[in-house]
Amino acid sequence: MRLCFGSYLAILVPCKAVNIDNKQLCEALLHSVAPNYEFTFSGQENADRVREDATSKLLRCEQNLSKDITGPARNAVPQEVASYFKNNVIKLLDSNLSKQIILALKDMIGNDFPEKDGKKIHGIYDDTKVELVNGITKKELASQTEFCFHSFLAGVFLYVVTNTTNRSGKKTIRSVTQEYVLSFTSRIEEITLLEDNVSDRICTYDYRNGKTDTEFAEGVAEYLIDKIKQLPQPSKQDDSLLVTLLSEANGKCLYCGGYLGIPKRGKIPVKNCEIVYLKQSPDEADSYENAVALCTNECAPLVPAMSSDEIAELLEKKHRCADIQAFLDRISGIKFQDEIETVLREVHKTKNAQGLEPTDIKDLVEIERKIHEPFLKDKINASMARLYKTVKNTCSRLEQEIGFDTNMFGELMKSAYKLLESGIQQKSDIIDPQEYIADLLVEKLFSQVGQRHRDACEIIVGYLVKRCDLFNENTKQS
């Protein structure tokens, strides 16, 4: 037996829930570490057939996983992957076969012995950690009887994706059949599934192994005391809040823009920084809403001397950064690309029905707050780094399927050029015409498709801005 992604998937396939196909299960697994990964590419016809073929090749161990999967998997947070499995993968499997899946994986791992193949060695040593959510070794797994199902599946998946070569299982994959998986039915009494409220408090120290309650409790107590001693000393400031603030500011000081780094919880940033609370009234309490991360020696000492207008401006900057981060979080969901496709299909229907009308200068409305162009640039660049290729590939696929024509946006973008060259420049309350125009395009598209999927509309406008180089900043991507 050889553990690899194909054999891992082959164990799950006979245990699928009703009306779940192989490609759906395969993609759900891969999306746990690479949410935007796609089997289909620009210009391909019969997308479903392509997905089926790619899944079959992986299942037969005929090709290795893409670097677009293995790369992100190495940087994935194990507990987040486990949470994803709990919410998105477990429901694709027959709940009556959970124990058979666990026993089959245990058997396969136990029989995957190290073997030299030319210059390479395939197989698993006893001290190798094969379950990466809880850090369980092959030897420990052999005697383990209590399992958190979603956590175990996620942990083995992470090991498979980051430590095995899929082609290595080609010689033995034929033996991983439905009969093999179901042969463990007579042994399901060996496995105890932990309830969620218990399994969420995971302890990898000891799974009892027949010990008395007293011995087990004493062992757990010693283990916890040892772990507590290893914990870092408490920080003088809220590390979780500091991480949040630095993440929102892209790792930079909010005042001077100097790079500080984004720390992991419990570890210091690259450069000295601290949380400063910008209070607009003496009785205002410290909170996330008025907290910013600034350079300790350079910028933080300047705060006491700041005017109320400077504090208000810095808080406005903080809130804009938080809005961008919240937007990026929303578009990171696995189903978001479906919303993009929905909007594009609606645009296609609208275009066929009545035409996509250009925006007119009379559509301008007054705005109450000033706009700062750098936030538009940061927002579009950050979102397009994630989704430019997704939108481009979706447009190409829809061109093949329904005759979608990206050029239908031409009139919309031409109207934006006209607005930039006309009355907007003279409007004193519009500090930055570029961001105002982008917002106007989003509103126009949002209205055109029935006021649905606003975030997807914003991504499509960002794509058009990049593609058309609307603001003449040489931002076009290939």
Side-chain angles (χ1 to χ4, degrees):
M1 288 274 179
R2 188 72 69 208
L3 179 66
C4 61
F5 179 76
S7 57
Y8 176 93
L9 180 60
I11 288 176
L12 300 185
V13 164
C15 304
K16 302 191 305 289
V18 177
N19 294 328
I20 300 298
D21 57 36
N22 291 355
K23 64 179 182 295
Q24 185 177 355
L25 177 60
C26 181
E27 289 175 338
L29 293 171
L30 300 182
H31 285 164
S32 67
V33 293
N36 295 319
Y37 180 76
E38 301 176 56
F39 282 133
T40 54
F41 302 94
S42 175
Q44 285 186 327
E45 299 181 359
N46 302 319
D48 282 344
R49 181 60 182 272
V50 173
R51 292 164 60 209
E52 289 174 0
D53 289 345
T55 300
S56 295
K57 289 180 180 179
L58 290 174
L59 190 55
R60 296 194 301 267
C61 303
E62 293 179 354
Q63 70 180 33
N64 291 326
L65 288 171
S66 165
K67 291 181 179 179
D68 292 333
I69 299 295
T70 58
R74 299 184 197 285
N75 298 316
V77 178
Q79 291 298 343
E80 292 181 0
V81 177
S83 178
Y84 171 91
F85 266 66
K86 179 180 179 181
N87 296 323
N88 300 282
V89 175
I90 299 303
K91 63 185 179 182
L92 305 181
L93 303 173
D94 186 340
S95 59
N96 296 313
L97 298 175
S98 301
K99 294 183 178 181
Q100 286 89 333
I101 292 174
I102 292 173
L103 287 166
L105 285 172
K106 283 187 64 177
D107 182 75
M108 178 172 290
I109 292 170
N111 288 289
D112 190 354
F113 302 109
E115 180 182 357
K116 190 171 183 179
D117 182 10
K119 295 182 179 180
K120 297 182 179 179
I121 295 180
H122 297 295
I124 306 173
Y125 290 96
D126 286 345
D127 60 351
T128 300
K129 292 181 179 180
V130 293
E131 201 270 73
L132 301 187
V133 171
N134 302 305
I136 299 171
T137 66
K138 175 181 178 179
K139 184 177 181 180
E140 292 168 337
L141 180 62
S143 58
Q144 183 177 338
T145 58
E146 294 183 347
F147 290 85
C148 166
F149 185 45
H150 70 269
S151 178
F152 174 68
L153 278 188
V156 176
F157 170 80
L158 283 174
Y159 171 79
V160 163
V161 173
T162 58
N163 290 277
T164 69
T165 303
N166 196 44
R167 290 180 184 272
S168 67
K170 190 172 183 179
K171 294 180 180 179
T172 59
I173 190 62
R174 291 182 179 276
S175 62
V176 188
T177 62
Q178 181 176 14
E179 289 73 19
Y180 168 73
V181 177
L182 297 183
S183 68
F184 295 97
T185 302
S186 61
R187 295 172 48 191
I188 59 175
E189 296 301 323
E190 299 175 13
I191 301 299
T192 300
L193 296 178
L194 300 177
E195 299 295 332
D196 285 340
N197 61 348
V198 175
S199 60
D200 285 343
R201 303 191 299 272
I202 299 173
C203 171
T204 61
Y205 167 74
D206 195 337
Y207 287 89
R208 287 201 141 162
N209 298 321
K211 292 184 178 182
T212 65
D213 290 343
T214 300
E215 291 173 327
F216 178 73
E218 290 175 349
V220 171
E222 292 175 0
Y223 173 81
L224 291 176
I225 291 172
D226 181 63
K227 287 297 182 182
I228 290 173
K229 290 179 179 178
Q230 297 176 25
L231 291 175
Q233 293 298 314
S235 172
K236 294 181 179 180
Q237 57 185 348
D238 187 341
D239 287 330
S240 296
L241 178 57
L242 182 60
V243 171
T244 299
L245 296 175
L246 286 173
S247 297
E248 291 175 348
N250 201 24
K252 298 178 180 179
C253 171
L254 202 63
Y255 187 72
C256 71
Y259 185 71
L260 301 173
I262 301 176
K264 296 181 179 179
R265 283 170 172 77
K267 296 184 179 180
I268 62 174
V270 176
K271 185 178 178 182
N272 287 338
C273 62
E274 63 181 89
I275 297 173
V276 177
Y277 295 94
L278 305 176
K279 300 180 181 180
Q280 296 178 298
S281 63
D283 57 349
E284 186 176 350
D286 295 347
S287 69
Y288 160 77
E289 294 297 331
N290 58 24
V292 296
L294 304 177
C295 304
T296 299
N297 299 323
E298 292 84 0
C299 299
L302 301 177
V303 172
M306 285 184 180
S307 67
S308 58
D309 288 343
E310 288 176 320
I311 289 178
E313 184 177 349
L314 199 54
L315 283 173
E316 172 69 9
K317 188 174 183 180
K318 171 243 171 55
H319 295 146
R320 294 295 297 274
C321 287
D323 289 344
I324 292 177
Q325 186 61 46
F327 175 70
L328 294 177
D329 289 342
R330 292 198 303 273
I331 67 173
S332 297
I334 293 172
K335 295 183 178 180
F336 186 74
Q337 59 188 19
D338 294 336
E339 295 184 15
I340 294 175
E341 180 171 338
T342 298
V343 170
L344 292 174
R345 287 182 180 274
E346 287 298 321
V347 167
H348 179 73
K349 292 179 184 178
T350 304
K351 174 251 184 182
N352 286 341
Q354 62 186 49
L356 197 61
E357 299 176 358
T359 305
D360 193 86
I361 192 72
K362 65 183 180 181
D363 290 333
L364 293 176
V365 295
E366 298 295 329
I367 56 175
E368 299 178 356
R369 51 193 278 175
K370 297 179 179 180
I371 301 174
H372 306 285
E373 185 274 340
F375 289 102
L376 170 69
K377 187 175 181 179
D378 289 346
K379 189 174 187 178
I380 290 181
N381 284 340
S383 61
M384 286 300 98
R386 302 183 183 197
L387 290 171
Y388 184 89
K389 289 184 179 180
T390 295
V391 180
K392 182 180 179 181
N393 292 342
T394 302
C395 288
S396 298
R397 178 165 54 80
L398 292 180
E399 181 180 351
Q400 298 291 326
E401 291 181 9
I402 61 176
F404 181 83
D405 183 8
T406 310
N407 292 327
M408 73 176 69
F409 291 111
E411 288 300 318
L412 191 66
M413 301 309 287
K414 285 180 182 178
S415 68
Y417 280 113
K418 293 177 182 178
L419 290 175
L420 281 170
E421 296 172 354
S422 58
I424 281 189
Q425 303 289 354
Q426 283 73 46
K427 283 187 168 285
S428 60
D429 58 342
I430 301 178
I431 301 302
D432 191 318
Q434 294 179 348
E435 186 166 0
Y436 184 66
I437 288 296
D439 289 342
L440 200 64
L441 292 177
V442 173
E443 288 296 333
K444 188 71 177 178
L445 186 58
F446 184 56
S447 174
Q448 198 79 32
V449 297
Q451 296 189 329
R452 299 168 56 215
H453 307 308
R454 182 184 180 84
D455 288 339
C457 291
E458 193 159 348
I459 287 297
I460 292 170
V461 168
Y463 168 78
L464 295 171
V465 169
K466 281 283 192 183
R467 184 181 177 194
C468 301
D469 197 14
L470 178 60
F471 300 138
N472 297 319
E473 295 178 345
N474 298 318
T475 55
K476 186 176 180 181
Q477 296 188 22
S478 59

